[in-house]
């Protein structure tokens, strides 16, 4: 007895037997337990192949892909605004305080520079120098207990210390963001 | 109701970044399976899959809607993996000559299992291991055929191979799988009760 060929067996499994061959193959299967068993084996094998578990990439895979495509994405103005909210607030505060300092200087006397910017820089430099000068122990105590020393000079020291911190925060944030972007 | 790939693509093209993450989540496991069965190395497969997603993202504005996203994406992934294989000196695009087998079986019928054994986890694991071990040439086609339930036409579209080559490779892959599982059964790795 001639058994089914591999090709004929797969045709039975796929249900793709040619019309002319179909009757012969089916008649053979009726009378041949070996070929029936082989066909059954193939069917079960392919059923198992179809339900084989999928391989999974690592947990952070999607985040990594999104990180790599981030520079290609053009964010909307709203998204850009939210992402940069902290920077915008910090810079607004810095500018407000600088403007306040310029106004104070103008109230003290005539402007010394030709422009508002150079005035602001000059005022900031002047007060920053004072902070450095007054930084020693007695002034630290004065800052720590403002209720006991309410002089205008102490207030200015606190003010410009805050400005310095804000500038540092803004710079740090910008640097940090760049480093993160480069790592991606 | 699940959002379709088409809707997700429209959202991505409208600038919604999160939608692409959902598309990645939806296709990463099947993509990883195809990459693993072609490259046989987890790290390299993950890199290839990542490259394929990034290429797909860049090419998304040029997506023509002629085929489904999955067919289009697997074509990109298949090409990324094929390029990596050719760098290793393995040519997955070579055309095979010869006809589909006409020979008889080489799995002795007495080694075949009673019906209930086919349902066992052990049999499933054995088949999974043997599919993973198929050479990339056949493993890729068999994976698309079994895992994705893809038609010959879709496999032709993904691989860029002629229909005849796809048929021959699929036939040989199925026969190799049959023989390797048969050998395992014969060697008593899965005992017949």
């Amino acid at each position: 007895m001639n058994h089914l060929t591999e090709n004929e067996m797969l045709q039975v499994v796929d249900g793709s037997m040619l019309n002319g061959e179909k009757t012969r193959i089916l008649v053979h299967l009726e009378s041949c337990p070996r070929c029936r068993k082989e066909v059954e084996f193939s069917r079960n094998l392919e059923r198992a192949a179809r339900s084989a578990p999928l391989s999974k990439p690592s947990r952070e895979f999607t985040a990594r892909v999104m990180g790599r495509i981030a520079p290609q994405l053009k964010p909307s103005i709203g998204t850009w605004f939210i992402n940069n909210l902290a920077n915008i607030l910090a810079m607004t505060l810095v500018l407000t305080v600088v403007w306040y300092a310029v106004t104070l200087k103008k109230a003290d006397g005539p402007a010394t520079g030709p422009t508002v910017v150079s005035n602001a820089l000059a005022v900031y430099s002047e007060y920053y120098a004072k902070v450095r000068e007054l930084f020693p122990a007695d002034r630290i105590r004065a800052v720590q207990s403002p209720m006991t020393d309410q002089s205008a000079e102490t207030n200015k020291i606190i003010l410009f210390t805050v400005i310095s911190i804000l500038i540092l925060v803004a710079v740090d944030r910008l640097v940090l963001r760049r480093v993160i972007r480069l790592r991606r | 109701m699940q959002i379709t790939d088409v809707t997700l693509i429209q959202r991505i093209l409208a600038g919604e970044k999160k939608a692409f993450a959902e598309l990645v989540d939806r296709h990463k496991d099947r993509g990883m399976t195809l990459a693993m069965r072609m490259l046989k190395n987890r790290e390299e497969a993950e890199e290839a899959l990542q490259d394929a997603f990034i290429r797909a993202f860049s090419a998304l504005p040029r997506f023509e809607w002629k085929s489904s996203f999955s067919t289009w994406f697997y074509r990109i992934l298949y090409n990324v993996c094929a390029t990596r294989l050719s760098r290793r000196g393995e040519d997955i695009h070579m055309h095979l000559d010869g006809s589909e087998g006409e020979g008889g079986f080489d799995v002795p019928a007495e080694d075949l299992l009673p019906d209930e054994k086919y349902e066992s986890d052990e049999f499933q694991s054995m088949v999974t291991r043997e599919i993973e071990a198929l050479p990339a040439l056949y493993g890729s086609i068999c994976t698309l055929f079994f895992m994705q339930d893809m038609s010959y036409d879709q496999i032709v579209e993904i691989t860029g191979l002629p229909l005849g080559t796809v048929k021959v490779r699929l036939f040989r892959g199925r026969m190799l799988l049959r023989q390797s599982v048969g050998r395992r059964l014969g060697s008593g790795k899965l005992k017949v009760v």
Side-chain angles (χ1 to χ4, degrees), chain A residues 137-164:
Chain A
D138 56 329
R139 285 299 168 182
I140 291 173
R141 275 198 299 277
V143 172
Q144 282 172 341
S145 53
M147 297 307 288
T148 58
D149 184 0
Q150 293 293 324
S151 72
E153 202 167 4
T154 307
N155 285 342
K156 285 173 194 169
I157 291 166
I158 295 167
L159 196 63
F160 284 96
T161 306
V162 171
I163 295 174
S164 303

Side-chain angles (χ1 to χ4, degrees), chain A residues 127-182:
Chain A
Y127 281 102
Y128 185 72
K130 276 188 183 177
V131 171
R132 295 290 304 270
E133 196 179 295
L134 298 168
F135 196 64
D138 56 329
R139 285 299 168 182
I140 291 173
R141 275 198 299 277
V143 172
Q144 282 172 341
S145 53
M147 297 307 288
T148 58
D149 184 0
Q150 293 293 324
S151 72
E153 202 167 4
T154 307
N155 285 342
K156 285 173 194 169
I157 291 166
I158 295 167
L159 196 63
F160 284 96
T161 306
V162 171
I163 295 174
S164 303
I165 291 168
L166 285 174
I167 289 171
L168 282 173
V169 167
V171 168
D172 190 44
R173 214 178 136 80
L174 288 172
V175 171
L176 194 70
R177 274 171 178 259
R178 285 198 177 176
V179 170
I180 290 168
R181 206 170 292 160
L182 279 176

